[in-house]
Amino acid sequence: MINREQMIRNYVEGYNEYDIDKMVGDFDNNIVFENISHGKVNMTLTGLAAFKEQAEVAKSYFSKRRQFIKSFQHKDDTTEIEIDYFAILEMDFPNGLKKGDELRLHGKSIFQFLNHKIIKLTDIS
């Protein structure tokens, strides 16, 4: 479980540092990513290249961003983390949020593992 926690910490640290290579260092080439917001899947990506491309685009959305891990919960082949999220928007969004607005969210991320790699990541907010 400690190895899983370190892999997740690597991902979160990479995210906070805008370091995509660090974020994906423990990902399988066929990673599946899902984002669920308000109970609905609003993004699904398959493959390392697709994830990296989206992560690169997302860097421009925020002037600051930070995920804080609050807890780890291990199950068979998954680890769920509870997170607090803080960001300052770098651009206006279609939903009415404006550049400079602060965004604070509470959510969770579920990491699925196989052969010491992360094969699926689901973000839920």
Side-chain angles (χ1 to χ4, degrees):
M1 301 305 169
I2 292 171
N3 188 39
R4 283 190 197 176
E5 289 184 15
Q6 187 56 55
M7 292 166 72
I8 291 168
R9 287 183 201 285
N10 291 342
Y11 170 80
V12 171
E13 288 170 10
Y15 182 90
N16 290 343
E17 297 165 2
Y18 292 80
D19 183 341
I20 294 171
D21 289 333
K22 186 172 184 177
M23 284 174 64
V24 303
D26 296 303
F27 280 11
D28 185 82
N29 285 332
N30 297 312
I31 185 76
V32 174
F33 172 77
E34 272 188 336
N35 191 75
I36 301 172
S37 182
H38 304 292
K40 296 185 180 187
V41 176
N42 62 10
M43 179 182 296
T44 302
L45 302 169
T46 302
L48 192 55
F51 184 91
K52 287 174 80 170
E53 182 178 315
Q54 176 58 33
E56 190 64 47
V57 170
K59 285 176 21 177
S60 67
Y61 296 168
F62 310 103
S63 61
K64 292 183 181 181
R65 67 181 189 186
R66 194 123 191 112
Q67 288 187 32
F68 302 92
I69 300 172
K70 296 184 69 175
S71 67
F72 289 91
Q73 184 176 16
H74 302 286
K75 297 181 182 165
D76 297 328
D77 64 345
T78 64
T79 298
E80 180 178 306
I81 62 170
E82 183 182 2
I83 62 163
D84 282 336
Y85 180 82
F86 168 80
I88 297 177
L89 302 183
E90 181 61 22
M91 57 188 284
D92 294 343
F93 282 79
N95 65 1
L97 294 173
K98 300 290 183 200
K99 180 178 179 173
D101 285 353
E102 288 187 7
L103 183 62
R104 294 182 185 274
L105 299 170
H106 179 78
K108 62 183 175 179
S109 294
I110 303 169
F111 295 80
Q112 185 175 353
F113 297 86
L114 181 66
N115 298 327
H116 306 289
K117 289 286 189 180
I118 299 168
I119 62 168
K120 185 174 184 182
L121 169 56
T122 304
D123 284 341
I124 303 169
S125 60

